[in-house]
Amino acid sequence: MDWETLKLFQWEMMAPEFIIFGAAAILSVVDLFLPKKVNRNIIGWLALGSIALAFVALAQVLQAPTVSILFDTFYLDGFAKTFKVLLLIGTALVLLMAIGVKKEEGLEEYRGEFYYLLLTALLGAMFITSSADLITLFVGLELLSISSYILAGLKKKDKRSNESAMKYVINGGIASAILLFGLSYIYGLSGSTNLAEIRLALSSPMSENYTYLLGIAFFMVLVGVAFKIASVPFQMWAPDVYQGAPTPVAAFLSVVSKAAGFVLLIRLALSIFSATPSEGETGTLLIDAQVYLGVIAALTMIVGNLIAIRQRNVKRMLAYSSIGHAGYILVAFTTLAPFMYEAIWFYLFIYIFMTLGAFTVLQMVTETTKSEDISSFAGLYKKTPVLAVAMAVFLLSLAGIPGTAGFIGKLQILTNAFFAHPGHIILGTIMILTTVISYIYYFGVMIQMFFRPVDSKLSSVAVPTGPAVVVVVCVVATIWFGLDPSLATDIFHMTFTGFMDL
């Protein structure tokens, strides 16, 4: 590729990625040469500034037409823009949350590495949203995964952190290998790594001869993605990793990494398998797979919510809660309804605020009591009523109580399920029942905060500036989007121009 060809590309469309990449590279060098006595939070603020710049750069192209560069390997379409908004907001809030972490969290010695590794993980997730080629998709996934592996084991002197990182690496490596094997089948049958060319090749009548091989490929891709979103039966790693990892890392995995996993699923499934013919009456492989996707969604909701009831460790409880919420989002994907994209995007959007808010309150309580047990929340309302009320708002939203953003998100998914053709009545009913079951463990934390005597270890909880901002933003967003979700949906409709983007 010569210089003249390079100059023809619209590189400004990759400005957000260039900003994040440049910031990660520069901050890694700064951290290397910065004296040890200098507080590494300055690197955190610089990383936060780079995300703000990337968000401004993204805002400049929100209404720009779809652009394809680098020989159709990088797309800046409505689909990519809307999900990049989620990724940038989620990572910015995690950074603010981490800046307030005390030494007891185990990040002090490696705080600088945490900040720029978070940026590299974000960069990988952003590449997944814009990738239109199997190679760039996998590179983005691995950049996100490898950064996440390191972040999970960042407390190097903590045995639980070491164990969580080891489990994450082993399980993640196996899942990536299976996903790559499935992608190799797709490449072998289509002769291309470009998603558009693959779709064209596999939608031809000749591909009916390879139906079983394509079914195997779809199954392997689903295994790899199921690990990333922590759905049954590949959810085993999540509780251990969340418990052993620093709280900001667990929050990042629960929100940003999960969102990237769903982006990967949508890109591959809708771009490739929705046009792949099958031997069933429906005519496409993806529609034939709806039954299997529905079973996975149902089991994910059931397992996540039932096991969460038995958890005393609040971080493990939130991990199983995250598994249950992955099942809810899978319900929206399984229906393949006309408003599926809107339901998935909106749920992931509001999930950022209610989950990060809960993790932030958990972090502050844990730093005070030195315990993640549910009893450490006992009497929180009497000692720090503002935090108790904020945590109650997040738990009510996660439970889907009317008046919160979580209720609107679940309502959109249920609407898609019941009014899809054919109506997924069983799947919607399971979602309602598991949502009711989730009240048990969410309200269990609220009972501790409001109706139990004050824990002897619980003094007045200190609220640093960064986490305080996160809690305020998350409370406002959780209530606002619960009462008036139109702002979020307007952003979605402004940038997502229809299925042709894919």
Side-chain angles (χ1 to χ4, degrees):
M1 189 185 301
D2 57 27
W3 177 248
E4 295 301 321
T5 305
L6 285 173
K7 289 195 297 183
L8 293 176
F9 292 136
Q10 295 177 274
W11 293 108
E12 66 273 12
M13 297 302 173
M14 291 186 68
E17 284 78 9
F18 283 135
I19 291 170
I20 298 299
F21 170 74
I26 293 170
L27 293 180
S28 63
V29 176
V30 170
D31 180 55
L32 183 64
F33 291 101
L34 203 64
K36 290 186 176 181
K37 61 182 180 180
V38 177
N39 192 328
R40 258 48 183 182
N41 276 346
I42 187 175
I43 297 178
W45 289 112
L46 291 173
L48 189 62
S50 70
I51 291 179
L53 287 176
F55 197 89
V56 171
L58 180 63
Q60 301 299 315
V61 296
L62 274 182
Q63 294 185 327
T66 299
V67 174
S68 171
I69 62 175
L70 297 176
F71 302 105
D72 293 332
T73 60
F74 186 94
Y75 272 23
L76 187 67
D77 52 12
F79 179 84
K81 295 171 195 172
T82 50
F83 279 98
K84 283 180 185 179
V85 169
L86 301 188
L87 299 176
L88 289 170
I89 291 175
T91 309
L93 291 175
V94 171
L95 275 171
L96 272 175
M97 173 185 173
I99 288 172
V101 173
K102 296 180 181 179
K103 293 183 180 180
E104 287 81 357
E105 183 63 36
L107 286 178
E108 193 62 29
E109 189 175 353
Y110 310 105
R111 190 180 287 268
E113 290 148 333
F114 169 82
Y115 293 131
Y116 60 75
L117 281 171
L118 205 64
L119 291 183
T120 58
L122 170 64
L123 182 63
M126 292 175 70
F127 263 106
I128 292 173
T129 64
S130 285
S131 292
D133 190 275
L134 296 181
I135 295 175
T136 51
L137 268 174
F138 189 74
V139 169
L141 176 64
E142 287 306 289
L143 180 58
L144 169 63
S145 299
I146 293 172
S147 300
S148 300
Y149 300 154
I150 302 171
L151 287 169
L154 209 55
K155 295 192 291 185
K156 301 179 184 178
K157 298 177 182 178
D158 189 316
K159 291 183 179 180
R160 285 193 312 176
S161 184
N162 296 337
E163 179 187 354
S164 70
M166 182 187 70
K167 289 180 178 179
Y168 198 14
V169 169
I170 293 173
N171 286 283
I174 295 171
S176 294
I178 295 173
L179 172 65
L180 189 59
F181 194 27
L183 297 181
S184 70
Y185 270 70
I186 296 172
Y187 169 71
L189 295 173
S190 64
S192 175
T193 59
N194 183 270
L195 295 184
E197 294 178 6
I198 292 172
R199 180 182 179 87
L200 184 63
L202 297 184
S203 61
S204 67
M206 290 296 294
S207 62
E208 292 183 4
N209 299 324
Y210 313 119
T211 300
Y212 293 108
L213 289 176
L214 288 170
I216 293 172
F218 177 78
F219 171 75
M220 291 182 176
V221 168
L222 188 61
V223 168
V225 176
F227 171 84
K228 184 54 65 178
I229 63 176
S231 69
V232 172
F234 308 104
Q235 85 291 353
M236 303 84 66
W237 61 274
D240 291 336
V241 173
Y242 282 35
Q243 184 179 3
T247 305
V249 175
F252 179 83
L253 295 176
S254 180
V255 173
V256 179
S257 182
K258 188 180 294 291
F262 277 103
V263 169
L264 181 63
L265 175 63
I266 294 171
R267 274 287 187 196
L268 291 176
L270 273 296
S271 296
I272 299 174
F273 298 107
S274 64
T276 303
S278 70
E279 293 184 348
E281 296 179 358
T282 55
T284 66
L285 181 60
L286 183 59
I287 295 178
D288 279 355
Q290 274 186 298
V291 176
Y292 306 105
L293 291 171
V295 170
I296 292 174
L299 290 175
T300 302
M301 291 185 289
I302 293 169
V303 170
N305 286 292
L306 284 180
I307 300 182
I309 296 174
R310 301 290 300 170
Q311 303 305 310
R312 294 284 305 175
N313 185 292
V314 178
K315 199 187 284 188
R316 287 185 72 89
M317 185 202 77
L318 289 175
Y320 281 108
S321 167
S322 176
I323 293 169
H325 285 275
Y328 301 150
I329 302 171
L330 278 175
V331 171
F333 180 77
T334 302
T335 62
L336 298 175
F339 299 103
M340 174 192 71
Y341 287 100
E342 181 178 346
I344 293 175
W345 184 85
F346 182 79
Y347 201 90
L348 286 171
F349 181 66
I350 55 106
Y351 183 72
I352 288 174
F353 299 108
M354 53 191 185
T355 302
L356 287 183
F359 271 108
T360 304
V361 175
L362 170 63
Q363 172 183 288
M364 290 186 281
V365 172
T366 300
E367 287 176 346
T368 301
T369 63
K370 307 298 184 295
S371 171
E372 295 171 355
D373 191 85
I374 191 172
S375 61
S376 62
F377 281 83
L380 180 62
Y381 179 73
K382 297 177 182 177
K383 286 293 184 179
T384 315
V386 175
L387 277 186
V389 172
M391 187 65 167
V393 170
F394 302 137
L395 293 173
L396 290 173
S397 185
L398 287 166
I401 300 299
T404 63
F407 171 76
I408 302 297
K410 286 185 172 68
L411 184 63
Q412 288 191 1
I413 293 175
L414 285 170
T415 302
N416 276 270
F418 286 128
F419 293 98
H421 181 74
H424 296 266
I425 298 174
I426 296 177
L427 204 54
T429 303
I430 293 174
M431 181 176 173
I432 293 173
L433 292 175
T434 52
T435 297
V436 173
I437 290 172
S438 71
Y439 295 170
I440 298 174
Y441 56 88
Y442 289 135
F443 288 1
V445 178
M446 294 177 63
I447 289 171
Q448 293 288 333
M449 293 190 298
F450 293 98
F451 301 108
R452 292 288 183 267
V454 179
D455 189 300
S456 57
K457 299 177 183 177
L458 185 64
S459 58
S460 183
V461 179
V463 184
T465 303
V469 173
V470 174
V471 170
V472 171
V473 170
C474 291
V475 167
V476 171
T478 301
I479 297 175
W480 187 0
F481 294 122
L483 299 176
D484 182 19
S486 60
L487 177 61
T489 54
D490 287 346
I491 294 173
F492 177 85
H493 290 298
M494 180 180 67
T495 56
F496 189 74
T497 55
F499 295 162
M500 293 305 294
D501 272 340
L502 293 177

